[in-house]
Amino acid sequence: MKLIAALPSPFVRKVRVLLHETGQTDAVELVEISTTPMNTDAQAAAANPVGKIPALVREDGPAIYDSRVICRYLDDRFGAGLYPQARVWETLTLEATADAMMEAAVLMVYEHRVRPPEKVFDGWIDAQWAKVARCVEAVNGRWMSHLNGPLDMSHVAIGCALGYLDFRHPDRNWREGAGALDDWYAVFSARESMKATAPE
């Protein structure tokens, strides 16, 4: 299998953390690319008609894409149990919350990266950050008992989302008013899987 990937992507990092946590890093070849919505890499477009990453190229079937689909597939293939049936809806909801945070944070980056400076819309950027802030508040207020429980894919997703906020938006200080989540992340980010996949 081959993972079409750009290493700074938090969505790619989710898959890579899963591979580290399951001891399966040798099962998937990492194909590093550089791609944007305005200049889509040919390998990304060939694997995913939308051109987004990550995409997983398989030998026994068509490529699959979207980090949640890939993570479910690999979890099933490796029997990892990161989507435990007893709390699968909570796990999926929290993973979706993390993905929403990532999407909003990535859009903030693209607003500056792909638009001419005179067309950057600060109101749009602030609206994206408002989504992130609401998600952080919700996780800190409602989901800490889940995050303090046994490892599942929602832990990985939230960890990757928060790591991306630190990487791309350190001046926004997501930690303000989110002390419980900050404490959790300080421990989770020290996992070997997180250190091995930290964006640079």
Side-chain angles (χ1 to χ4, degrees), residues 141-170:
R142 305 174 197 166
W143 291 99
M144 294 314 301
S145 61
H146 185 101
L147 289 179
N148 287 320
L151 178 71
D152 63 35
M153 198 60 210
S154 70
H155 297 70
V156 173
I158 290 292
C160 291
L162 297 178
Y164 190 74
L165 297 183
D166 282 346
F167 177 54
R168 292 297 193 200
H169 306 291

Side-chain angles (χ1 to χ4, degrees), residues 70-113:
I70 294 170
C71 288
R72 286 297 296 267
Y73 172 79
L74 293 176
D75 178 77
D76 183 72
R77 182 175 178 125
F78 301 144
L82 291 174
Y83 293 91
Q85 191 57 44
R87 58 183 191 281
V88 69
W89 302 118
E90 291 79 6
T91 300
L92 289 171
T93 299
L94 197 49
E95 184 182 9
T97 302
D99 283 3
M101 293 168 62
M102 296 178 198
E103 183 72 24
V106 168
L107 288 174
M108 291 171 68
V109 171
Y110 280 149
E111 186 69 12
H112 284 286
R113 186 170 293 172

